[in-house]
């Protein structure tokens, strides 16, 4: 990325300059980008000033003494209501005139770019352009009514006499009157004429036309605050006091009510409700309940119920006893409440130390000398982590049980609760009694701060002690603490942008020096902006992520609308995150409970890294013994920007966890100031990804020479296993024949249909056969095409897989080795076969003679009849008899136990070995598969042919045509070949196989513990989700001309976790929302999406919810129990 990447391209700059004035003025479009008649602008100005005119009529009547103020407001509001209805009816009439030739237009931000042709001042095109209208009739009436109310209240609020009485200044009256009516005109125009696109767009689509209500809402707020604040406050105070006094007349009742409901509301009530529903369903319909998927939801049972009930009971007993017998004395150095304060101070210090000691960096600055060094493997880490695990258990007990009860003791002893309670007491203490359980660490901090302040200031005449009770003090301290933490985080974010805009060369622009100078000069104003942003709890928005800071609009902590985890850019990499998330969630439970992830609050962000995987964790909610998180997975295919930031993340984690340079005590964090601070590592069960170059293995002539012989052995084993598993459904040889007929009748019928409609009936020059040929294609290319690469087993109703035809007249590329001499019969047969002879469609299929077995049990292992119909010459059958591994065949038969047979002879394996007819069946079956995959030549296969055979992309041949017509056999042959290739790689890596027993062990391991196939296969994704221990895939890099092997191994490995600056994430997401939804700057090479190694700008954009971001995985809300 260069420093001169445009913030907005020329087209978007022109678009922005048209949209921004429209936003400021509330909707009028005075800059269209094309030539429009003057009456378009005049009409908009007239409509913009209509509320002022109607309000001016009422104002004039009031100033002349003709009408009173409220009659004036009613008149102006009524006139505005009627005018708004007339304008909306005019739009409907214009639409009806053109409904036969145009579709009804729905307002869309993209229509800002449309060009209109206008015919007259009040033509239908002019009306529809200026007044787009509402989508719903109910909004037509409601918005018109709201416009009337707004105009009436505005007229009443801006009466000159009232303003003069308030300020006693003519100049001030004129200014407020003019700008006040200008504000009302802006709000009215956006409500009834044309709604402007707001800079604070939250949802991409405004389905219910809520945006039109935003400006009138702000105006209503200001008017209501000025007119009714005293009445509202008095009403709330009176009503709150009366209700509290009536329902809870005693102070003890108030204590019990606050303690009990504070605890109950801090629990995960949604999960408790789900558990109750699950229990009821399991009792009513046990069969259905077994199929209910609970996922990672909390298993709420009797143990949890008893625990919560016990804690609640002790809390109520403690609060009531202390309040009743020890809560009469005021706060002093020797009072019971002061003693409770000392205990809380000690608890806060201990818990703070126990939390920091579990993190790799103390305060994010110095390396923790107690944290394990050079952490690389799980076993070493767990051995070194034992002491810290004990520390985590102690901290968990103090946090869950000791601290809440100590805080309840402090609150129950407070003297404020002894008097008749007021609204302030109810609000303050109700909040803190819930925070004790909901957010124990912050509640402990607030109470300690208030306790220390009481110990230092005993003057009863001080405002702090005289006017505020303890509950309100805790409320103020809590707000101050929260806003102070936000201020510090926002300040760090702003300083990071300022510094890196110059220190990072790729971020340095021509305007950087000017912007930095302005920020230094106006640094007090920058601090004011940050303070206001923190006070409003709104994100600090860096415009285009430059050091130009604005106060963002308040947004939810999650920052995005919609349910959690419903949107993600799902791709083939999603399964790796789906597999690892359950194990990662379990590891997060322990880390969050122990405190090794620091102070985790709703809105906290964490980044996890393992190999090429990046997990983004957002804490959504937290309560007593539970935490709700959302886990997102970022793309694995790294772009240049993604790779640059991921490389910096790896550097940070390696410096913290893997380098042995931390010989000094309290060595500094070299990446201090980065938005990512390493916390700890978590043991997670996931797949490690190893990729190896197979040069020297796949191109070895010695390895390839043994490939066919090994393939025959593997195929024999696979065919025997296939028939043996199928025979387990048969009880005796008599029923075997019957079952065989029944089981193969469908296959024979399907085969007959397929044979009656062979693939050669189609035109050889159809689009399907030549769709991969292009002008740039090499017709002699050895690599498989895209169509044959993803060949799957067709279903019962699917067509036969498409095949590739060799080009007539082309020279076939030969494999390695010298071809053996072919007999004249084979040459003649090959010439006839490759000549594609005509097929008589009316000719009946030749019926094979019935096989006579010498052993009646051979029927159990007999292969299907249609698998023996391959068009191979007799000489090849004789040749296969000589190559057939008879000893291997006998060894496989000897390993069969036939336990599923009730009655069987003791020498059954020997009888099967002596059955020549059964052996001939397997010879024909093996020969058919070899004919389909390798053809009739006995040459050593080339590496390209091996790759094509592995991927199922072999060029068309008669043998392949026959083999693909038997989908089940084709899949068996393809699976056998892939096993053979993996066997070749293992033999080259681990050494030769000594005996048949070892070979069987290899094959059984492949069958049980491996998936050997392609990454693009659907079965690959299923194997990942089923957690197969190992996966193997063969790949090819055409640019470098090398073959690669990819092995995924399921094991428990260490995942590195770091905490992100929450405000840096919120600020970048706020800019992303503004830039894409308002400025529509969706350029893939825009400045704000380029790599920023300190802010992790590209990764942060990816982690946003779609459609603005593009995570490949997003989990649902995961409830993690923190017992």
């Amino acid at each position: 990325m260069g420093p001169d990447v445009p913030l907005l391209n020329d087209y978007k700059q022109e678009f922005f300059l048209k949209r921004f004035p429209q936003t400021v003025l509330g909707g009028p479009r005075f800059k269209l980008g094309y030539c429009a008649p003057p009456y378009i602008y005049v009409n908009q100005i007239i409509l913009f000033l209509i509320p002022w005119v109607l309000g001016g009529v009422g104002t004039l009547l009031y100033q002349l003494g003709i009408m009173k103020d409220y009659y004036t407001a009613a008149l102006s509001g009524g006139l505005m209501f009627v005018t708004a209805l007339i304008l909306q009816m005019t739009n409907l009439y214009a639409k009806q005139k053109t409904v036969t030739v145009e579709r009804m237009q729905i307002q869309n931000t993209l229509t800002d770019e449309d060009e209109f042709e206008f015919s007259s001042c009040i033509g239908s095109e002019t009306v529809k352009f200026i007044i787009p209208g509402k989508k719903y009739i109910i909004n037509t009436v409601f918005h018109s009514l709201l416009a009337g109310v707004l105009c009436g209240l505005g007229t009443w609020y801006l009466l000159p006499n009232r303003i003069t009485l308030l300020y006693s200044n003519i100049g001030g009256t004129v200014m407020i009157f003019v700008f006040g009516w200008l504000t009302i005109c802006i709000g009215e125009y956006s409500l009834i004429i044309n709604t402007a696109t707001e800079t604070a767009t939250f949802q991409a689509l405004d389905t219910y036309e809520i945006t039109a209500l935003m400006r009138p809402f702000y105006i209503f707020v200001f008017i209501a605050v000025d007119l009714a604040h005293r009445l509202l406050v008095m009403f709330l105070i009176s009503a709150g006091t009366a209700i509290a006094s009536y329902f809870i007349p005693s102070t003890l009742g108030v204590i019990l009510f606050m303690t009990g409901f504070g605890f109950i509301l801090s629990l995960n009530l949604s999960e408790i409700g789900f558990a109750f529903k699950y229990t009821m369903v399991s009792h009513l319909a046990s069969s259905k309940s077994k199929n209910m998927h609970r996922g990672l939801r909390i298993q709420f049972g009797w143990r949890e119920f008893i625990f919560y009930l016990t804690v609640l009971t002790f809390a109520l007993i403690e609060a009531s006893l202390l309040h009743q017998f020890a809560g009469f004395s005021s706060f002093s150095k020797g009072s019971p409440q002061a003693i409770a304060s000392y205990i809380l101070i000690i608890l806060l210090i201990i818990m703070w130390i126990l939390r920091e000691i579990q993190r790799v960096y103390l305060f994010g600055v110095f390396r923790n000398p107690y944290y394990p060094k050079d952490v690389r493997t799980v076993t070493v880490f767990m051995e070194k982590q034992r002491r810290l695990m004990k520390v985590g258990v102690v901290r968990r007990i103090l946090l869950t049980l000791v601290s809440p009860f100590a805080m309840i003791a402090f609150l129950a002893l407070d003297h404020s609760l002894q008097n008749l309670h007021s609204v302030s007491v109810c609000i303050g203490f109700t909040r803190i009694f819930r925070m004790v359980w909901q957010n124990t660490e912050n509640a402990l901090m607030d109470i300690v701060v208030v306790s220390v302040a009481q110990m230092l200031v005993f003057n009863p005449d001080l405002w702090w002690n005289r006017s505020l009770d303890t509950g309100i003090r805790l409320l103020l301290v809590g707000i101050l603490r929260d806003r102070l933490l936000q201020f510090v985080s926002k300040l760090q974010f702003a300083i990071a942008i300022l510094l890196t805009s110059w220190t990072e060369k790729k971020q340095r622009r021509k305007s950087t020096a000017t912007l930095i100078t302005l920020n230094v000069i106006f640094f007090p104003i920058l601090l004011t902006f940050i303070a206001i942003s923190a006070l409003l709890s709104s994100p600090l928005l860096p415009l285009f992520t430059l050091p130009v800071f604005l106060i963002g609009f308040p947004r939810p902590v999650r920052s995005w609308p919609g349910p959690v985890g419903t949107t993600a850019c799902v791709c083939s990499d999603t399964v790796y995150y789906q597999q690892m998330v359950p194990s990662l969630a379990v590891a997060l439970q322990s880390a969050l409970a122990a405190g090794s992830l620091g102070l985790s609050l709703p809105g906290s962000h964490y980044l996890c890294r393992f190999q090429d995987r990046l997990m983004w964790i957002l804490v959504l909610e937290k309560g007593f013994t539970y935490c709700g998180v959302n886990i997102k997975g970022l793309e694995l295919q790294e772009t240049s920007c993604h790779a640059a930031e991921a490389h910096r993340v790896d550097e940070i984690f390696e410096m913290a966890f893997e380098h042995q340079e931390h010989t000094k005590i309290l060595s500094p964090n070299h990446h201090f100031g980065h938005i990512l601070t390493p916390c700890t590592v978590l043991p997670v069960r996931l797949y490690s990804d190893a990729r190896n170059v197979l040069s020297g293995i796949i191109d070895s002539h010695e390895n390839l020479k043994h490939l066919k012989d090994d393939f025959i052995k593997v195929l024999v084993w696979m065919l025997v296993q296939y028939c043996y598993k199928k025979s387990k459904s048969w009880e005796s040889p008599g029923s075997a024949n019957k079952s065989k007929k029944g089981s193969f009748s469908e296959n024979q019928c399907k085969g007959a249909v397929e044979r009656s409609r062979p693939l050669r009936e189609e035109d050889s020059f159809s689009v399907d056969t030549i769709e991969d040929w292009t002008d740039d294609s090499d017709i002699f290319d050895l690599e498989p095409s895209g169509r044959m690469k993803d060949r799957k087993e067709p279903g019962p109703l699917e067509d036969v897989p498409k095949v590739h035809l060799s080009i007539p007249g082309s020279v076939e590329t030969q494999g390695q080795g010298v071809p053996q001499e072919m007999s004249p019969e084979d040459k003649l047969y090959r010439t006839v076969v490759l000549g594609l002879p005509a097929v008589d469609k009316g000719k009946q299929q030749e019926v094979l003679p019935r096989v006579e077995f010498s052993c009646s049990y051979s029927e159990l292992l007999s292969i299907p009849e249609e698998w023996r119909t391959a068009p191979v010459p007799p000489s090849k059958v004789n040749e296969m008899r000589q190559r057939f591994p008879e000893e291997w065949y006998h060894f496989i038969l000897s390993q069969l136990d036939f336990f599923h047979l009730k009655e069987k002879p003791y020498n059954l394996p020997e009888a099967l070995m002596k059955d020549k007819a059964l052996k001939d069946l397997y010879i024909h079956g093996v020969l058919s598969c070899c004919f389909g995959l390798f053809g009739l030549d006995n040459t050593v296969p080339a590496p390209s042919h091996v790759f094509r055979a592995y991927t199922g992309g072999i060029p068309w041949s008669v043998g392949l045509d026959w083999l693909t017509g038997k989908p089940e056999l084709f899949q068996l042959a393809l699976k056998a070949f892939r096993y053979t290739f993996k066997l070749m790689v293992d033999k080259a890596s681990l050494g030769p196989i000594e005996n048949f027993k070892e070979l069987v062990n290899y094959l059984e391991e492949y069958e049980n513990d491996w998936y050997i196939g392609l990454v693009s296969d659907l079965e690959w994704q299923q194997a990942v989700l089923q957690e197969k221990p190992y996966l193997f895939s063969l790949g090819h890099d055409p640019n470098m001309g090398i073959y690669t092997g990819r092995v995924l191994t399921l094991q428990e490995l260490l995942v590195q976790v770091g905490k992100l600056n929450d405000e840096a994430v919120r600020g970048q997401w706020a800019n992303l929302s503004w830039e894409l939804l308002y400025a529509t700057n969706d350029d893939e090479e825009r400045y704000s999406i380029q790599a920023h190694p300190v802010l992790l700008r590209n990764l942060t954009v990816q982690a946003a919810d779609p459609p603005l971001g593009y995570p490949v995985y997003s989990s649902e809300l995961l409830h993690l129990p923190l017992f």
Side-chain angles (χ1 to χ4, degrees):
M1 180 198 75
D4 297 325
V5 174
L7 301 177
L8 284 171
N9 56 36
D10 295 337
Y11 169 74
K12 293 299 181 182
Q13 287 179 11
E14 182 182 356
F15 174 81
F16 178 76
L17 292 177
K18 288 189 296 183
R19 171 171 281 190
F20 187 70
Q22 182 184 356
T23 301
V24 173
L25 296 175
R29 287 180 276 189
F30 295 136
K31 183 177 176 59
L32 300 180
Y34 56 91
C35 184
Y39 55 76
I40 296 297
Y41 305 102
V42 173
N43 288 347
Q44 292 185 86
I45 294 174
I46 293 174
L47 292 175
F48 182 82
L49 296 176
I50 279 180
W52 201 340
V53 173
L54 299 179
V57 172
T59 302
L60 182 61
L61 294 176
Y62 173 77
Q63 294 296 122
L64 296 176
I66 298 175
M67 299 180 68
K68 294 184 178 180
D69 53 357
Y70 46 86
Y71 291 125
T72 297
L75 175 63
S76 298
L79 292 174
M80 189 68 230
F81 173 66
V82 174
T83 304
L85 280 180
I86 293 174
L87 292 174
Q88 295 300 319
M89 293 302 109
T90 305
N91 172 266
L92 292 176
Y93 176 73
K95 289 179 179 179
Q96 289 177 357
K97 285 184 62 176
T98 57
V99 72
T100 57
V101 294
E102 289 186 8
R103 296 181 60 187
M104 181 176 177
Q105 292 185 359
I106 297 176
Q107 184 171 349
N108 191 328
T109 56
L110 298 179
T111 58
D112 294 345
E113 297 300 290
D114 295 344
E115 293 189 14
F116 291 80
E117 294 183 0
F118 307 102
S119 58
S120 65
C121 179
I122 55 174
S124 59
E125 295 82 4
T126 305
V127 172
K128 289 189 297 182
F129 173 76
I130 298 177
I131 311 173
K134 306 297 179 181
K135 289 188 289 185
Y136 306 105
I137 298 298
I138 188 173
N139 280 345
T140 300
V141 178
F142 175 66
H143 289 185
S144 300
L145 179 62
L146 197 63
V149 175
L150 180 62
C151 185
L153 286 177
T155 303
W156 187 27
Y157 185 75
L158 294 174
L159 290 174
N161 286 350
R162 296 184 70 254
I163 301 175
T164 304
L165 291 175
L166 184 63
Y167 294 102
S168 302
N169 188 300
I170 299 298
T173 301
V174 173
M175 293 289 292
I176 293 176
F177 183 80
V178 172
F179 284 102
W181 271 111
L182 183 64
T183 302
I184 291 177
C185 288
I186 291 174
E188 295 280 14
Y189 196 96
S190 65
L191 184 62
I192 61 173
I193 308 296
N194 184 24
T195 304
T197 304
E198 300 290 351
T199 57
T201 305
F202 184 59
Q203 309 228 13
L205 298 176
D206 186 17
T207 306
Y208 302 106
E209 298 177 310
I210 299 176
T211 307
L213 304 176
M214 297 308 298
R215 294 168 188 260
F217 171 76
Y218 299 143
I219 297 173
F220 276 127
V221 168
F222 280 97
I223 294 177
V225 168
D226 187 69
L227 295 180
H229 69 282
R230 294 182 177 274
L231 182 62
L232 183 65
V233 171
M234 292 176 63
F235 171 78
L236 289 178
I237 292 175
S238 302
T241 305
I243 293 173
S245 302
Y246 180 79
F247 287 104
I248 310 176
S250 68
T251 57
L252 180 60
V254 172
I255 289 289
L256 294 177
F257 178 81
M258 293 178 178
T259 304
F261 272 87
F263 175 80
I264 293 172
L265 294 177
S266 68
L267 300 178
N268 195 354
L269 298 180
S270 63
E271 287 304 297
I272 295 176
F274 176 84
F276 177 77
K277 178 181 177 181
Y278 178 82
T279 305
M280 295 300 296
V281 171
S282 63
H283 284 296
L284 296 176
S286 58
S287 60
K288 294 182 180 180
S289 65
K290 292 179 181 178
N291 296 326
M292 287 186 64
H293 176 67
R294 301 196 68 181
L296 290 169
R297 303 180 79 99
I298 296 177
Q299 301 292 326
F300 187 85
W302 286 107
R303 186 186 65 174
E304 290 77 13
F305 177 76
I306 293 175
F307 172 76
Y308 289 144
L309 184 61
T310 303
V311 171
L312 177 61
T313 303
F314 277 101
L316 293 175
I317 293 174
E318 178 195 21
S320 59
L321 292 178
L322 291 176
H323 175 76
Q324 191 71 19
F325 299 105
F328 296 99
S329 60
S330 59
F331 188 88
S332 62
K333 291 185 178 181
S335 65
Q337 192 176 20
I339 297 175
S341 301
Y342 300 141
I343 296 175
L344 291 175
I345 294 173
I346 296 173
L347 279 174
L348 178 64
I349 295 174
I350 293 175
M351 289 180 58
W352 176 77
I353 294 174
L354 295 182
R355 185 185 69 200
E356 290 296 323
I357 206 174
Q358 296 181 78
R359 303 174 64 189
V360 65
Y361 285 116
L362 300 175
F363 313 108
V365 181
F366 302 105
R367 192 166 196 294
N368 182 3
Y370 299 100
Y371 196 87
K373 298 180 181 179
D374 192 23
V375 178
R376 297 178 187 269
T377 62
V378 176
T379 54
V380 174
F381 173 74
M382 296 306 292
E383 289 180 2
K384 296 181 178 180
Q385 186 76 357
R386 287 179 180 176
R387 289 182 299 175
L388 294 183
M389 290 176 65
K390 296 177 181 178
V391 170
V393 172
V394 173
R395 182 183 178 278
R396 188 184 311 178
I397 295 174
L398 293 178
L399 180 67
T400 307
L401 297 176
V402 179
S403 297
F405 284 100
M407 287 186 283
I408 287 178
F410 174 86
L411 297 174
L413 293 170
D414 192 80
H415 186 69
S416 302
L417 294 175
Q418 296 295 332
N419 302 323
L420 185 62
H421 39 273
S422 62
V423 170
S424 61
V425 172
C426 292
I427 293 176
F429 278 95
T430 300
R431 169 190 169 274
I432 192 61
F433 268 107
R434 180 175 179 179
M435 273 197 66
V436 163
W437 307 99
Q438 185 92 29
N439 197 343
T440 306
E441 292 184 77
N442 284 341
L444 183 60
M445 170 67 73
D446 296 345
I447 293 178
V448 167
V449 170
V450 171
S451 301
V452 172
Q454 284 182 316
M455 292 177 183
L456 297 178
V457 181
F458 287 101
N459 186 2
D461 297 329
L462 194 65
W463 168 80
W464 175 266
N465 292 327
R466 184 184 70 254
S467 302
L468 301 178
D469 58 76
T470 304
I472 297 299
R473 293 174 199 164
L474 290 171
L475 176 61
L476 295 177
V477 169
I479 294 175
L480 182 63
R481 168 190 47 77
D482 180 74
R483 298 305 187 264
L484 184 61
L485 291 178
Q486 287 193 36
F487 178 83
V488 173
S489 297
K490 293 177 194 293
L491 183 61
Q492 290 176 347
F493 176 45
I495 292 176
I497 291 181
L498 278 171
L499 295 180
T500 56
S501 63
W502 183 262
T503 57
E504 296 285 336
K505 292 183 179 180
K506 291 186 176 181
Q507 310 299 325
R508 195 180 303 168
R509 301 175 59 87
K510 295 179 180 179
S511 59
T512 299
T514 304
L515 292 176
I516 293 177
T517 303
L518 291 175
N519 276 278
V520 172
I521 294 174
F522 296 102
F523 190 71
I525 297 178
L526 175 61
L527 289 179
T528 303
F529 274 30
I530 297 175
I532 295 175
S533 177
L535 186 64
L536 297 176
S537 191
S538 61
L540 182 68
L541 193 154
L543 198 63
F544 299 106
T545 63
L546 291 173
V548 179
F549 301 101
L550 302 175
I551 300 173
F553 289 83
R555 301 173 71 90
V557 171
R558 182 174 159 245
S559 294
W560 306 113
V564 179
T566 55
T567 56
C569 302
V570 179
C571 64
S572 58
D573 297 332
T574 303
V575 294
Y576 302 112
Y577 292 108
Q578 289 177 332
Q579 178 274 324
M580 70 176 296
V581 160
S583 179
L584 177 61
V586 173
L588 284 174
Q589 292 179 14
S590 302
L592 289 170
S596 56
L597 297 183
L599 182 62
S600 58
L601 301 172
S604 298
H605 296 261
Y606 296 92
L607 186 67
C608 303
R609 177 70 167 169
F610 176 78
Q611 290 186 349
D612 57 351
R613 270 152 280 183
L614 281 163
M615 290 72 70
W616 193 286
I617 302 173
L618 170 60
V619 179
L620 296 173
E621 60 180 85
K622 197 171 183 184
F624 183 63
T625 68
Y626 85 94
C627 181
V629 301
N630 167 239
I631 302 177
K632 296 177 182 177
L634 306 187
E635 62 181 359
L636 303 185
Q637 302 295 330
E638 296 183 349
T639 60
S640 57
C641 297
H642 180 106
E645 295 184 356
H647 180 68
R648 178 62 63 87
V649 172
D650 292 335
E651 285 183 359
I652 295 173
F653 282 134
E654 287 174 4
M655 182 68 68
F657 299 114
E658 297 182 6
H659 288 181
Q660 299 180 353
E661 301 173 356
H662 308 292
T663 54
K664 299 180 181 179
I665 299 178
L666 299 178
S667 58
N669 177 10
H670 297 287
H671 295 280
F672 178 74
H674 196 279
I675 71 165
L676 176 66
T677 303
C679 292
T680 186
V681 292
L682 303 177
V684 180
R685 183 175 174 83
L686 44 67
Y687 281 101
S688 62
D689 194 346
R691 303 171 192 241
N692 303 311
V693 177
L694 299 180
S695 300
I697 298 178
I698 192 173
D699 53 1
S700 171
H701 181 76
E702 189 68 23
N703 293 337
L704 295 174
K705 188 170 64 174
H706 296 289
L707 183 67
K708 280 189 178 181
D709 293 335
D710 289 341
F711 172 70
I712 293 174
K713 291 181 180 179
V714 175
L715 185 58
V716 170
W717 178 82
M718 196 158 289
L719 288 174
V720 172
Q721 293 297 320
Y722 170 83
C723 296
Y724 176 69
K725 291 178 182 178
K726 210 165 186 179
S727 71
K728 289 185 178 181
S729 61
W730 305 338
E731 297 181 356
S732 63
S735 63
N737 189 25
K738 180 179 178 181
S739 300
K740 188 168 126 181
K741 291 179 181 179
S743 61
F744 292 137
S745 61
E746 182 180 352
N747 293 333
Q748 290 171 356
C749 178
K750 183 177 70 173
V753 173
E754 292 175 351
R755 287 191 293 271
S756 67
R757 187 183 51 189
L759 206 64
R760 289 191 295 270
E761 294 177 17
E762 300 178 358
D763 188 0
S764 300
F765 294 95
S766 65
V767 177
D768 291 336
T769 58
I770 64 173
E771 63 183 2
D772 288 340
W773 294 358
T774 63
D775 294 337
D776 300 328
S777 300
D778 185 359
I779 61 176
F780 304 106
D781 188 12
L782 295 179
E783 298 308 319
S785 64
R787 287 197 310 146
M788 294 297 292
K789 184 176 181 180
D790 297 328
R791 187 194 306 246
K792 303 283 184 183
E793 178 181 351
L797 299 179
E798 294 176 352
D799 295 332
V800 179
K802 299 175 183 178
V803 296
H804 282 216
L805 300 179
S806 301
I807 302 174
S810 64
V811 180
E812 296 292 336
T813 306
Q814 300 295 332
Q816 296 183 9
V818 181
Q820 298 182 6
E821 186 67 18
M822 299 177 64
S823 64
E825 182 183 3
D826 292 342
K827 291 180 180 179
L828 175 61
Y829 183 83
R830 181 178 182 183
T831 303
V832 173
V833 167
L834 295 181
L836 300 178
V839 178
D840 187 0
K841 299 182 181 179
K843 186 177 179 180
Q844 294 292 332
Q845 196 75 17
E846 182 179 357
V847 180
L848 295 178
R850 179 175 176 80
V851 180
E852 298 293 337
F853 296 111
S854 61
C855 176
S856 60
Y857 286 88
S858 297
E859 295 180 2
L860 299 176
L861 299 180
S862 176
I863 64 176
E865 180 180 324
E866 62 175 0
W867 291 6
R868 310 194 301 269
T869 60
V872 293
S875 60
K876 286 298 178 181
V877 178
N878 296 329
E879 183 181 333
M880 178 55 69
R881 283 196 179 96
Q882 297 176 1
R883 296 181 59 187
F884 189 76
E886 190 169 349
E887 294 182 0
W888 168 248
Y889 170 72
H890 291 166
F891 179 79
I892 296 174
L893 293 179
S894 65
Q895 300 296 309
L896 304 178
D897 47 37
F898 292 99
F899 285 152
H900 56 281
L901 297 180
K902 297 180 180 179
E903 297 179 0
K904 61 179 179 178
Y906 70 94
N907 59 345
L908 178 56
E910 290 80 3
L912 295 174
M913 294 177 195
K914 295 177 181 179
D915 194 334
K916 294 183 179 181
L918 181 62
K919 175 184 171 183
D920 286 342
L921 290 183
Y922 281 94
I923 291 175
H924 278 85
V926 172
L927 179 59
S928 301
C929 296
C930 291
F931 176 51
L933 295 180
F934 299 105
L936 294 174
D937 293 336
N938 292 325
T939 58
V940 176
S944 60
H945 185 88
V946 172
F947 178 71
R948 289 187 174 193
Y950 185 94
T951 58
I954 308 172
W956 186 92
S957 66
V958 174
L960 181 63
D961 188 18
W962 176 89
L963 186 58
T964 53
K966 316 294 182 293
E968 197 169 10
L969 180 61
F970 175 74
Q971 290 300 320
L972 283 175
L974 183 61
K975 186 177 180 181
F977 185 85
R978 290 174 174 178
Y979 281 16
T980 305
F981 181 83
K982 182 63 173 65
L983 185 65
M984 181 184 75
V985 174
D986 288 346
K987 287 167 61 177
S989 305
L990 305 176
I993 295 176
E994 301 294 338
N995 49 49
F996 289 156
K997 183 64 175 176
E998 186 177 355
L999 178 57
V1000 169
N1001 291 337
Y1002 268 101
L1003 298 178
E1004 289 179 349
E1005 183 183 355
Y1006 294 161
E1007 185 72 20
N1008 299 325
D1009 298 338
W1010 287 78
Y1011 175 77
I1012 302 174
L1014 296 176
V1015 177
S1016 58
D1017 292 342
L1018 178 62
E1019 292 81 1
W1020 178 280
Q1021 300 183 13
Q1022 294 174 350
V1024 172
L1025 297 178
Q1026 294 169 2
E1027 295 195 339
K1028 277 277 187 180
Y1030 307 97
L1031 291 89
F1032 176 83
S1033 175
L1034 176 64
H1036 177 59
D1037 187 347
N1039 297 324
M1040 302 182 64
I1042 59 174
Y1043 296 92
T1044 57
R1046 183 181 182 185
V1047 178
L1048 298 185
T1049 305
L1050 182 65
Q1051 52 187 324
E1052 193 173 40
L1053 297 168
L1054 295 177
V1055 173
Q1056 300 156 336
V1057 185
K1059 189 173 185 180
L1060 295 162
N1061 186 321
D1062 308 336
E1063 295 303 324
V1065 175
R1066 293 184 67 202
Q1068 293 183 74
W1069 281 356
N1071 173 73
L1072 175 67
S1073 178
W1074 176 87
E1075 194 172 349
L1076 265 66
L1077 297 181
Y1078 181 75
T1080 66
N1081 187 25
D1082 56 352
D1083 186 359
E1084 294 182 354
E1085 299 299 327
R1086 64 185 184 272
Y1087 174 79
S1088 60
I1089 202 176
Q1090 301 295 332
H1092 196 302
V1094 176
L1095 298 181
L1096 302 181
R1097 187 165 53 194
N1098 187 267
L1099 298 180
T1100 305
V1101 169
Q1102 287 186 49
D1105 279 9
L1108 304 186
Y1110 45 98
V1112 300
Y1113 172 79
S1114 182
S1115 71
E1116 60 180 3
L1117 175 60
L1118 304 178
H1119 299 269
L1120 309 181
L1122 304 182
F1123 274 122

